[in-house]
Every structure is written in structure tokens, then in C-alpha cells.
Amino acid sequence: QKEVEQDPGPLSVPEGAIVSLNCTYSNSAFQYFMWYRQYSRKGPELLMYTYSSGNKEDGRFTAQVDKSSKYISLFIRDSQPSDSATYLCASRLTDSWGKLQFGAGTQVVVTP
Amino acid sequence: DSGVTQTPKHLITATGQRVTLRCSPRSGDLSVYWYQQSLDQGLQFLIQYYNGEERAKGNILERFSAQQFPDLHSELNLSSLELGDSALYFCASSVVGSNEQFFGPGTRLTVL
């Protein structure tokens, strides 16, 4: 079983809708939680990261972490066709020197 | 453009062969990470180097090895290649202690 589980989708939404993405993880020692976005044929790029539990907002993006249930979420408001990509959640320990455990990635398609 | 460069972009080779993938990190980044991305396994951490020294190891096969040179560029060597080694190989770099890893465009390896 992978340490970070993520539904691969695809998830199709109409333009303007809220995109809701989720991951679960099994290692309770994970402290940092990230969301990366990967466009087709490109490398992943960091969208947001949070430390421990809580919410973080950046423009149209909101990341949430619930350590009690080992649940990670990303919400994209007012979705645009340019948001169509694969979104990967990732987690790491505090002292892991940056070793990231990635979920499988969820493919999101925003239709005009 | 993340500032991380990888060569070559594509590589087609035969089973049993050996290849070398090259990565140049962003200017100033001392940490380099290698990841393998395949359809069935997703994005998996292979190995990390910091300023020339190996710092963390993931699910890297014994047939694979890496090194980081004094100029901080890194090479990933894959030997005795098998069909299952066909994948996208990403290099990422970061400053020490940062949660943000900057990914290169990847090298697509096809083993025939």
C-alpha cells in the first residue's frame, strides 16, 4: 500500500465550478503537505504547501490538512480551462531531507 | 521555466543497455533529487544528493546509480535496462531546508 493515496480521476468540471481534490496518507509522522500541478509533458510545479494541520489560501487555491483523519484537500475556485492538469499531493517528514512521497495524481479537465 | 535543465529529452535504447541522464540544478541550489514517473507507479523518489553527498535513498534499484559533481550537476546511470524501466525521469533541485523542489522537464526513456 502506498503511503499517499489519491484517486487518479479524471475529474471533469465546467468552467467556473469549484474543483475539489483529496488525498489520504498513512504515515502519521508526515508534517509537510504539498500540492503540485503537472501539465502534460512538463515537470511538476509546486502550488502550495502547508505545515501540520490547518488551512492555507493563495488566490483561487485553498489547501487543507486534517491530521486527525490523515486527509489532505485542495480546492480550486472559479476554475478555468488553464487549470486543466494533473494535480499531485505529496507529503514528507520533518527530517527527511526533502524526500517526498507523492500520490498518484488526479487528472482535472475544466471544460469551457 | 524552472531553471532546472535535463538532457536528453528523449532516449530510446534496447534491453540490457546502459544510459546516463544528466541534470543541471537551478543556480544556487545544492540539493538534487531524482524521480521516476510511470503510469503504474506514479512519481517515485529515487535518490537525493546534497553538495556532492548522497542524503536520502528511495526505491532505487541496484542497477541504478547517481552522483553529483563538484559543479553540482548530477547524473543518473541506469544499467542492464529492462522493459519496465521505460518511464519519465525527473530531476529536481532546491535550496537546503526548502519545501519547494523545482522540477526539470524530464527525460523520457523508452526501452525496446
Side-chain angles (χ1 to χ4, degrees), chain A residues 70-91:
Chain A
K70 300 191 183 70
Y71 204 74
I72 313 164
S73 301
L74 178 72
F75 301 96
I76 308 174
R77 292 182 298 279
D78 188 25
S79 58
Q80 305 295 311
S82 58
D83 294 326
S84 297
T86 296
Y87 291 81
L88 302 110
C89 60
S91 304

CSV table of all heavy atoms in Angstrom, one decimal, chain A residues 70-91:
chain,number,residue,atom,x,y,z
A,70,LYS,N,-5.9,12.2,8.7
A,70,LYS,CA,-4.9,11.9,7.7
A,70,LYS,C,-5.5,12.2,6.3
A,70,LYS,O,-5.4,11.4,5.4
A,70,LYS,CB,-4.3,10.5,7.8
A,70,LYS,CG,-3.7,10.2,9.1
A,70,LYS,CD,-2.9,8.9,9.0
A,70,LYS,CE,-2.3,8.4,10.3
A,70,LYS,NZ,-3.3,8.0,11.3
A,71,TYR,N,-6.0,13.4,6.1
A,71,TYR,CA,-6.7,13.8,4.9
A,71,TYR,C,-6.2,15.1,4.5
A,71,TYR,O,-6.0,16.1,5.2
A,71,TYR,CB,-8.2,14.0,5.3
A,71,TYR,CG,-9.2,13.8,4.2
A,71,TYR,CD1,-9.5,12.6,3.6
A,71,TYR,CD2,-9.8,14.9,3.7
A,71,TYR,CE1,-10.4,12.4,2.6
A,71,TYR,CE2,-10.8,14.8,2.6
A,71,TYR,CZ,-11.0,13.5,2.1
A,71,TYR,OH,-11.9,13.4,1.1
A,72,ILE,N,-5.9,15.2,3.1
A,72,ILE,CA,-5.4,16.4,2.5
A,72,ILE,C,-6.3,16.8,1.4
A,72,ILE,O,-6.8,16.0,0.6
A,72,ILE,CB,-4.0,16.1,1.9
A,72,ILE,CG1,-3.1,15.4,2.8
A,72,ILE,CG2,-3.3,17.4,1.5
A,72,ILE,CD1,-1.9,14.8,2.1
A,73,SER,N,-6.6,18.1,1.3
A,73,SER,CA,-7.5,18.6,0.3
A,73,SER,C,-7.0,19.8,-0.4
A,73,SER,O,-6.2,20.6,0.2
A,73,SER,CB,-8.9,19.0,1.0
A,73,SER,OG,-9.5,17.9,1.6
A,74,LEU,N,-7.4,20.0,-1.6
A,74,LEU,CA,-7.1,21.2,-2.4
A,74,LEU,C,-8.4,21.6,-3.1
A,74,LEU,O,-9.1,20.8,-3.7
A,74,LEU,CB,-6.0,20.9,-3.5
A,74,LEU,CG,-5.7,22.1,-4.3
A,74,LEU,CD1,-5.0,23.2,-3.5
A,74,LEU,CD2,-4.9,21.7,-5.6
A,75,PHE,N,-8.7,22.9,-3.0
A,75,PHE,CA,-9.9,23.4,-3.6
A,75,PHE,C,-9.5,24.5,-4.6
A,75,PHE,O,-8.6,25.3,-4.2
A,75,PHE,CB,-10.9,24.0,-2.6
A,75,PHE,CG,-11.4,23.0,-1.6
A,75,PHE,CD1,-10.8,22.9,-0.3
A,75,PHE,CD2,-12.4,22.1,-1.9
A,75,PHE,CE1,-11.2,22.0,0.6
A,75,PHE,CE2,-12.8,21.2,-0.9
A,75,PHE,CZ,-12.2,21.1,0.3
A,76,ILE,N,-10.0,24.5,-5.8
A,76,ILE,CA,-9.8,25.5,-6.8
A,76,ILE,C,-11.1,26.2,-7.1
A,76,ILE,O,-12.0,25.5,-7.6
A,76,ILE,CB,-9.2,24.9,-8.1
A,76,ILE,CG1,-8.0,24.0,-7.8
A,76,ILE,CG2,-8.8,26.0,-9.0
A,76,ILE,CD1,-7.4,23.2,-9.0
A,77,ARG,N,-11.2,27.5,-6.7
A,77,ARG,CA,-12.4,28.2,-7.0
A,77,ARG,C,-12.3,28.8,-8.4
A,77,ARG,O,-11.3,29.0,-9.0
A,77,ARG,CB,-12.5,29.3,-6.0
A,77,ARG,CG,-12.8,28.9,-4.6
A,77,ARG,CD,-13.0,30.1,-3.6
A,77,ARG,NE,-11.8,30.9,-3.6
A,77,ARG,CZ,-10.7,30.6,-2.8
A,77,ARG,NH1,-10.7,29.5,-2.1
A,77,ARG,NH2,-9.7,31.3,-2.8
A,78,ASP,N,-13.5,29.1,-8.9
A,78,ASP,CA,-13.6,29.7,-10.3
A,78,ASP,C,-12.7,29.1,-11.3
A,78,ASP,O,-11.8,29.7,-11.8
A,78,ASP,CB,-13.3,31.2,-10.1
A,78,ASP,CG,-13.6,32.0,-11.4
A,78,ASP,OD1,-14.4,31.5,-12.2
A,78,ASP,OD2,-13.0,33.0,-11.6
A,79,SER,N,-12.8,27.8,-11.4
A,79,SER,CA,-11.9,27.0,-12.3
A,79,SER,C,-11.9,27.5,-13.7
A,79,SER,O,-12.9,28.0,-14.2
A,79,SER,CB,-12.2,25.5,-12.2
A,79,SER,OG,-13.5,25.3,-12.7
A,80,GLN,N,-10.7,27.5,-14.3
A,80,GLN,CA,-10.5,28.0,-15.7
A,80,GLN,C,-10.0,26.8,-16.5
A,80,GLN,O,-9.4,25.9,-16.0
A,80,GLN,CB,-9.5,29.1,-15.7
A,80,GLN,CG,-9.8,30.2,-14.8
A,80,GLN,CD,-11.1,31.0,-15.2
A,80,GLN,OE1,-11.2,31.3,-16.4
A,80,GLN,NE2,-12.0,31.2,-14.3
A,81,PRO,N,-10.2,26.8,-17.8
A,81,PRO,CA,-9.6,25.8,-18.7
A,81,PRO,C,-8.1,25.6,-18.5
A,81,PRO,O,-7.6,24.5,-18.7
A,81,PRO,CB,-10.0,26.3,-20.1
A,81,PRO,CG,-11.3,27.0,-19.9
A,81,PRO,CD,-11.1,27.7,-18.6
A,82,SER,N,-7.4,26.7,-18.2
A,82,SER,CA,-6.0,26.6,-17.9
A,82,SER,C,-5.6,25.9,-16.7
A,82,SER,O,-4.5,25.5,-16.5
A,82,SER,CB,-5.4,28.0,-17.8
A,82,SER,OG,-6.0,28.8,-16.8
A,83,ASP,N,-6.6,25.6,-15.9
A,83,ASP,CA,-6.4,24.7,-14.7
A,83,ASP,C,-6.4,23.2,-15.0
A,83,ASP,O,-6.1,22.4,-14.2
A,83,ASP,CB,-7.5,25.0,-13.6
A,83,ASP,CG,-7.4,26.3,-13.0
A,83,ASP,OD1,-6.3,26.9,-12.9
A,83,ASP,OD2,-8.5,26.9,-12.7
A,84,SER,N,-6.7,22.9,-16.3
A,84,SER,CA,-6.7,21.5,-16.7
A,84,SER,C,-5.3,21.0,-16.6
A,84,SER,O,-4.4,21.5,-17.3
A,84,SER,CB,-7.2,21.4,-18.1
A,84,SER,OG,-8.6,21.8,-18.2
A,85,ALA,N,-5.1,20.0,-15.8
A,85,ALA,CA,-3.7,19.5,-15.5
A,85,ALA,C,-3.9,18.3,-14.6
A,85,ALA,O,-5.0,17.9,-14.1
A,85,ALA,CB,-2.8,20.5,-14.8
A,86,THR,N,-2.8,17.7,-14.2
A,86,THR,CA,-2.8,16.6,-13.2
A,86,THR,C,-2.3,17.2,-11.9
A,86,THR,O,-1.2,17.9,-11.9
A,86,THR,CB,-1.9,15.4,-13.6
A,86,THR,OG1,-2.4,14.8,-14.8
A,86,THR,CG2,-1.8,14.4,-12.5
A,87,TYR,N,-3.0,17.0,-10.8
A,87,TYR,CA,-2.6,17.6,-9.5
A,87,TYR,C,-2.1,16.4,-8.6
A,87,TYR,O,-2.8,15.4,-8.4
A,87,TYR,CB,-3.8,18.3,-8.9
A,87,TYR,CG,-4.2,19.5,-9.7
A,87,TYR,CD1,-4.9,19.5,-10.8
A,87,TYR,CD2,-3.7,20.8,-9.2
A,87,TYR,CE1,-5.2,20.6,-11.6
A,87,TYR,CE2,-4.0,21.9,-10.0
A,87,TYR,CZ,-4.8,21.8,-11.1
A,87,TYR,OH,-5.0,23.0,-11.9
A,88,LEU,N,-1.0,16.6,-8.1
A,88,LEU,CA,-0.3,15.6,-7.2
A,88,LEU,C,-0.2,16.1,-5.8
A,88,LEU,O,0.3,17.2,-5.6
A,88,LEU,CB,1.0,15.2,-7.8
A,88,LEU,CG,1.1,14.7,-9.2
A,88,LEU,CD1,1.8,15.7,-10.1
A,88,LEU,CD2,1.9,13.4,-9.2
A,89,CYS,N,-0.7,15.3,-4.9
A,89,CYS,CA,-0.4,15.7,-3.5
A,89,CYS,C,0.9,15.0,-3.1
A,89,CYS,O,1.3,14.0,-3.7
A,89,CYS,CB,-1.5,15.3,-2.6
A,89,CYS,SG,-1.9,13.5,-2.6
A,90,ALA,N,1.6,15.5,-2.1
A,90,ALA,CA,2.8,15.0,-1.6
A,90,ALA,C,3.0,15.3,-0.1
A,90,ALA,O,2.5,16.3,0.4
A,90,ALA,CB,4.0,15.5,-2.4
A,91,SER,N,3.7,14.4,0.5
A,91,SER,CA,3.9,14.6,2.0
A,91,SER,C,5.4,14.3,2.3
A,91,SER,O,6.0,13.5,1.5
A,91,SER,CB,3.0,13.6,2.8
A,91,SER,OG,1.7,13.8,2.5
